[in-house]
Amino acid sequence: QVQLVESGGGVVQPGGSLRLSCAASGFTFSSFAMHWVRQAPGKGLEWVAFIRYDGSSKSYSDSVKGRFTISRDNSQNTLWLQMDSLRAEDAALYYCAKAHSSSWYWTADSWGQGTLVTVSS
Amino acid sequence: QSVLTQPPSVSGAPGQRVTISCTGSSSNFGAGYDVHWYQHLPGAAPKLLIYGNTNRPSGVPDRFSGSKSDTSASLAITGLQAEDEADYYCQSYDRSLSGSVFGGGTKLTVL
């Protein structure tokens, strides 16, 4: 079965950096686009970033564009989110999510349990 | 302010039918992009309920159904059960933003 395990969350000061990882198993990672989605405390889901199955195309929400970078290594079945210039409003539970299919790649059909990012001085 | 607008809360008694609306615009639903729905229970990972407006992934009961028309969409839940109490989110693609967008979420309470 599909398994997505996020790691790398923690406490970071404003302006700092953090790199999140997502280890994927149970499916052919190299065939699926992937997403990062976050949920701030008491708030709803917010899409953060998308990467095509081969890494050739990436997309970001306006709130993180220019500060966050999504990447993947299909040989290691791993997805990353490099987060720089972190702000208080970036504090959230970050989910790694697998795209449903090549036809429905903006839909996520499997999600990890999330990794918590806290931004505080 | 979310790009997709959902009511903050809905409620219904066990066995009843409820609907959750999701209103978009000409840059998402009106541009032909599909709506997808997720169920999010506290402490759990979100779960895909409906994709491509009306399709249910395997394992999702047929009590859940979706529809879309022009710039609005709806999720219907029939035969309400206590375990349906959760937050529900609609999601689509927005061409103005060149990315995915979620609704603000709707909390379903089973009375």
Side-chain angles (χ1 to χ4, degrees):
Chain A
Q1 72 281 19
V2 173
Q3 195 166 15
L4 299 168
V5 180
E6 303 93 338
S7 61
V11 180
V12 61
Q13 292 187 339
S17 298
L18 215 51
R19 191 192 199 200
L20 306 184
S21 299
C22 172
S25 60
F27 66 104
T28 305
F29 182 72
S30 58
S31 296
F32 291 89
M34 298 291 295
H35 298 267
W36 286 100
V37 177
R38 68 186 181 184
Q39 184 175 35
K43 303 292 186 181
L45 299 176
E46 180 189 10
W47 172 77
V48 173
F50 159 90
I51 186 167
R52 199 173 128 105
Y53 68 95
D54 58 0
S56 63
S57 179
K58 304 173 185 180
S59 184
Y60 302 91
S61 67
D62 285 347
S63 60
V64 307
K65 201 172 295 182
R67 299 187 299 121
F68 289 12
T69 303
I70 189 172
S71 61
R72 65 190 297 162
D73 185 332
N74 287 342
S75 67
Q76 297 185 44
N77 290 348
T78 303
L79 176 74
W80 293 286
L81 184 69
Q82 176 67 39
M83 304 187 297
D84 298 320
S85 302
L86 281 161
R87 305 167 180 168
E89 56 264 34
D90 295 319
L93 185 64
Y94 282 75
Y95 294 101
C96 158
K98 167 188 164 291
H100 178 275
S101 63
S102 58
S103 300
W104 307 102
Y105 51 83
W106 288 105
T107 310
D109 68 348
S110 298
W111 301 61
Q113 289 299 314
T115 186
L116 186 63
V117 172
T118 302
V119 183
S120 174
S121 54
Chain B
Q1 195 83 0
S2 301
V3 172
L4 304 179
T5 302
Q6 298 180 235
S9 64
V10 297
S11 63
Q16 283 190 333
R17 177 182 187 270
V18 296
T19 61
I20 298 174
S21 62
C22 177
T23 303
S25 68
S26 57
S27 63
N28 40 71
F29 296 163
Y33 295 104
D34 295 313
V35 65
H36 320 288
W37 291 91
Y38 301 87
Q39 178 190 60
H40 194 195
L41 292 158
K47 174 186 176 182
L48 180 63
L49 277 183
I50 299 287
Y51 67 95
N53 305 323
T54 60
N55 303 292
R56 278 187 311 275
S58 61
V60 173
D62 60 6
R63 301 187 297 106
F64 295 90
S65 63
S67 64
K68 173 179 169 276
S69 176
D70 195 24
T71 58
S72 66
S74 288
L75 172 71
I77 310 171
T78 59
L80 260 186
Q81 300 178 3
E83 67 208 49
D84 298 332
E85 192 161 285
D87 294 322
Y88 291 83
Y89 294 88
C90 58
Q91 180 242 327
S92 185
Y93 178 85
D94 190 283
R95 68 179 178 188
S96 296
L97 298 174
S98 298
S100 177
V101 288
F102 282 94
T106 298
K107 181 174 182 58
L108 169 63
T109 300
V110 180
L111 302 169

